């Protein structure tokens, strides 16, 4: 992520530096008094507004992944118009055979530590989220932080999934821009998922190709022990094979870094859909309020004129048990007029709230798009440069090994192996 962009556009990161510096495996007890093993992460914040210009450690505290989840859930509820940054995966996805799917695996924990730090920097660089008090306390207050979050009552304000699903299917006049955004988020998720699956398959194949040549290295080294004239050449060839085979571990480790960057935007797709769902809920509430107001106005008109234009239970009751007295009708009209007045105010308020939401949401979506274009362009260019560098190393290795092949005509199989390596690229 572009740290300069963060510093230039945000006052919080001008005051403090944020890092997740360590990960530690711990054992504790659950609420059911059962033993559990989990990973805690050390968050350090440093003041950068010191008199001598040096950063000074101000706070250091440990957080579990579940606390990061609690923070994000709070942000989703209180800032529904914001594309809230996603957390890194809780369990490894799109793994290839050498990677462990165990969430306690040291390599996975390290990648998640980097992802959690990136999440905090994303929030701290956001022009709205960075000002949130709960977020600041997350960085600085270790004890009673959960209680402070729960006291906000955010869980009671969260929209239910059933209500959101109902709004999705029943809203009559959806905003075209948000409909297109939802389709875009679906496509973004689909494309990145496919890319990550292909990359995992390629990593499996590439790992196999490199490691097979490790077997060549062992064979040539053993062969060199029984040959007098070609011994040195075979030993040299075996050494180069071993170096080549070992290099794949660092290559694929670097690739995982770029895969994690793609995964972040895979999870951002769900954050975009969350904004769309909130807009659908607001639009559905607005339409229901307008429908209720229109119904009350019609009832009031029917009572005033004595004409019933639509079937109703009240109309049927009147036919069966007789007409209301003028006093009863006046009382009902008066109640309806009060309800109509309240409904008009409520509808006006919902309209204003909806327009404000659209304005703020679309501003944040544009900010997100700029960030996404910048980050993905940088990641893909860096990945391409890495691949070019890898191919150059393979070419250099081949040129180093070629004289060995030419010096020993009996090493024809070795030459074929080299050709097989280069044909892979």
């Amino acid at each position: 992520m572009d740290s300069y962009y963060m510093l230039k556009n945000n006052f919080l990161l001008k005051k403090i530096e944020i890092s997740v510096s360590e990960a530690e495996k711990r054992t504790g007890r659950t609420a059911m008094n059962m033993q559990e093993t989990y990973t805690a992460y050390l968050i350090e914040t440093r003041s950068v507004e010191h008199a001598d210009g040096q950063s000074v450690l101000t706070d250091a505290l440990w957080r579990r992944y579940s606390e990061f989840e609690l923070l994000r859930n709070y942000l989703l509820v209180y800032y529904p118009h914001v594309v809230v940054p996603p957390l890194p995966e809780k369990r490894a996805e799109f793994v290839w055979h050498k990677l462990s799917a165990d969430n306690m695996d040291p390599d996975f924990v390290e990648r998640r530590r980097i992802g959690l730090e990136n999440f905090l920097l994303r929030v701290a660089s956001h022009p709205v989220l960075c000002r949130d008090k709960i977020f600041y306390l997350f960085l600085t207050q270790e004890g009673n932080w959960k209680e402070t979050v729960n006291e906000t009552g955010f869980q009671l304000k969260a929209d239910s999934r059933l209500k959101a699903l109902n709004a999705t299917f029943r809203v009559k006049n959806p905003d075209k821009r948000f409909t297109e955004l939802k389709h875009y988020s679906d496509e973004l998720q689909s494309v990145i998922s496919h890319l990550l699956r292909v990359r995992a398959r390629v990593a499996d194949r590439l790992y196999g190709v490199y490691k097979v040549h490790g077997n060549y290295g062992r064979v040539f080294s053993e062969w060199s022990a029984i040959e007098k004239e070609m011994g040195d050449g075979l030993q040299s060839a075996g050494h180069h094979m071993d170096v080549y085979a070992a290099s794949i571990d660092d290559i694929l480790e670097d690739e995982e870094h770029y895969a994690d960057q793609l995964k972040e935007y895979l999870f951002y797709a769900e954050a975009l859909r969350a904004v769309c769902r909130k807009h659908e809920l607001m639009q559905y509430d607005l339409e229901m309020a307008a429908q209720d107001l229109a119904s009350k106005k019609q009832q009031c008109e029917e009572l005033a004129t004595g004409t019933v234009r639509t079937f109703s239970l009240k109309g049927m009751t009147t036919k069966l048990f007789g007409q209301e007295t003028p006093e009863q009708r006046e009382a009902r009209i008066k109640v309806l007029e009060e309800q109509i007045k309240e409904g008009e105010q409520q509808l006006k308020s919902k309209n204003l709230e909806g327009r404000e939401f659209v304005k703020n949401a679309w501003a944040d979506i544009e900010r997100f798009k700029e960030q996404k274009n910048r980050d993905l362009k940088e990641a893909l260019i860096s990945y391409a440069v890495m691949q070019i560098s890898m191919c150059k190393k393979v070419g250099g290795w081949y040129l180093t090994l070629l004289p060995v092949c030419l010096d020993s005509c009996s090493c024809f199989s070795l030459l074929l192996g080299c050709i097989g390596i280069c044909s892979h690229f």
Side-chain angles (χ1 to χ4, degrees):
M1 182 167 37
D2 190 345
S3 58
Y4 171 74
Y5 177 83
M6 290 181 174
L7 291 169
K8 188 174 79 168
N9 290 275
N10 182 261
F11 70 90
L12 179 60
L13 288 181
K14 289 180 180 178
K15 294 182 178 180
I16 61 172
E17 294 175 351
I18 303 169
S19 65
V20 180
S21 56
E22 293 181 34
E24 181 178 280
K25 186 177 180 180
R26 294 183 177 183
T27 301
R29 293 281 177 180
T30 66
M32 302 296 290
N33 201 32
M34 297 177 66
Q35 186 170 326
E36 65 170 343
T37 302
Y38 62 91
T39 305
Y41 299 89
L42 179 62
I43 301 173
E44 293 183 337
T45 53
R46 296 176 179 273
S47 171
V48 295
E49 292 190 330
H50 200 252
D52 58 4
Q54 299 295 317
S55 63
V56 178
L57 182 66
T58 55
D59 288 286
L61 47 83
W62 294 90
R63 296 284 187 206
R64 295 182 59 173
Y65 185 88
S66 59
E67 292 176 286
F68 281 87
E69 287 182 311
L70 184 61
L71 171 64
R72 187 172 186 274
N73 289 336
Y74 160 82
L75 295 174
L76 283 170
V77 172
Y78 269 85
Y79 303 95
H81 62 279
V82 169
V83 184
V84 178
L87 291 169
E89 56 194 350
K90 192 167 187 175
R91 289 176 177 80
E93 298 180 22
F94 304 101
V95 298
W96 48 285
H97 82 277
K98 185 177 178 292
L99 289 184
S100 172
D102 180 11
N103 64 343
M104 301 302 291
D105 177 74
D107 291 336
F108 173 73
V109 169
E110 172 60 17
R111 293 201 310 275
R112 189 163 68 177
R113 179 197 67 78
I114 295 170
L116 291 173
E117 179 177 288
N118 187 59
F119 166 75
L120 293 180
L121 293 174
R122 292 283 195 202
V123 176
S125 69
H126 194 281
V128 175
L129 300 181
C130 71
R131 296 179 171 86
D132 186 83
K133 180 182 177 182
I134 295 297
F135 171 60
Y136 183 74
L137 293 177
F138 180 85
L139 301 173
T140 57
Q141 176 185 305
E142 187 162 17
N144 301 320
W145 179 80
K146 286 185 180 179
E147 290 75 7
T148 304
V149 180
N150 291 326
E151 285 171 4
T152 64
F154 81 96
Q155 292 166 324
L156 299 174
K157 298 177 181 179
D159 299 313
S160 72
R161 288 188 176 274
L162 183 60
K163 184 179 178 182
L165 185 63
N166 183 50
T168 299
F169 289 105
R170 297 186 64 182
V171 67
K172 296 177 181 177
N173 299 301
D175 189 311
K176 185 179 179 182
R177 291 175 298 174
F178 285 92
T179 301
E180 290 175 351
L181 179 66
K182 187 158 63 170
H183 291 159
Y184 167 77
S185 67
D186 292 339
E187 290 174 3
L188 178 66
Q189 185 177 41
S190 176
V191 168
I192 295 181
S193 295
H194 183 66
L195 186 59
L196 288 168
R197 281 193 294 270
V198 170
R199 184 260 159 189
R201 289 198 297 269
V202 170
D204 265 328
R205 182 181 175 187
L206 196 61
Y207 184 81
V209 168
Y210 272 72
K211 291 306 180 183
V212 161
H213 289 82
N215 296 333
Y216 283 142
R218 186 182 70 254
V219 170
F220 288 135
S221 295
E222 292 173 355
W223 190 5
S224 68
I226 63 173
E227 295 287 350
K228 293 181 179 179
E229 295 182 5
M230 319 191 289
D232 291 342
L234 289 168
Q235 184 66 36
S236 177
H239 169 72
H240 283 92
M241 287 283 190
D242 290 338
V243 171
Y244 173 79
S247 66
I248 189 59
D249 295 310
D250 290 337
I251 291 170
L252 292 182
E253 184 177 338
D254 290 341
E255 279 197 6
E256 282 304 313
H257 169 69
Y258 297 112
D260 287 339
Q261 288 180 303
L262 288 176
K263 285 178 183 178
E264 182 186 17
Y265 281 93
L266 175 70
F267 304 141
Y268 256 122
E270 176 56 29
L272 287 172
R273 284 196 291 268
V275 176
C276 294
R277 285 196 298 270
K278 183 61 180 179
H279 179 263
E280 286 174 341
L281 277 168
M282 295 179 72
Q283 181 63 24
Y284 178 67
D285 287 343
L286 177 65
E287 290 177 0
M288 289 299 99
Q291 183 177 317
D292 184 61
L293 179 61
S295 176
K296 284 183 168 56
K297 286 182 176 180
Q298 182 177 324
Q299 291 177 44
C300 188
E301 182 183 347
E302 289 173 352
L303 283 172
T305 61
T307 303
V308 179
R309 290 184 292 178
T310 58
F311 172 81
S312 67
L313 181 61
K314 186 67 180 175
M316 182 63 70
T317 304
T318 299
K319 289 183 179 180
L320 291 173
F321 300 104
Q323 295 287 338
E324 295 176 313
T325 64
E327 291 78 11
Q328 290 175 323
R329 189 164 58 253
E330 287 297 324
R332 285 188 61 205
I333 290 173
K334 187 174 181 181
V335 170
L336 281 169
E337 286 175 344
E338 287 295 323
Q339 291 176 345
I340 289 170
K341 187 176 180 180
E342 291 175 5
E344 288 174 340
Q345 289 296 323
Q346 186 181 40
L347 188 62
K348 182 179 179 181
S349 175
K350 286 183 179 294
N351 266 310
L352 290 173
E353 184 183 356
R355 285 197 290 268
E356 187 68 15
F357 176 88
V358 170
K359 175 185 174 184
N360 293 333
W362 214 250
D364 197 64
I365 288 164
E366 291 300 322
R367 178 204 60 80
F368 164 76
K369 287 180 178 179
E370 290 180 9
Q371 169 196 299
K372 179 210 65 177
N373 293 341
R374 183 177 61 251
D375 289 349
L376 290 182
K377 179 181 178 181
E378 180 182 334
L380 293 173
I381 289 175
S382 298
Y383 180 75
V385 169
M386 186 196 76
Q387 294 294 325
I388 292 170
S389 175
M390 180 180 70
C391 292
K392 286 181 177 179
K393 286 181 181 178
V394 172
W397 175 84
Y398 171 71
L399 292 174
T400 303
L401 191 56
L402 190 58
V404 177
C405 304
L406 297 177
D407 287 344
S408 304
C409 60
S410 300
C411 293
F412 181 70
S413 60
L414 173 60
L415 181 58
L416 290 179
C418 297
I419 294 172
I421 293 170
C422 291
S423 67
H424 173 73
F425 295 98

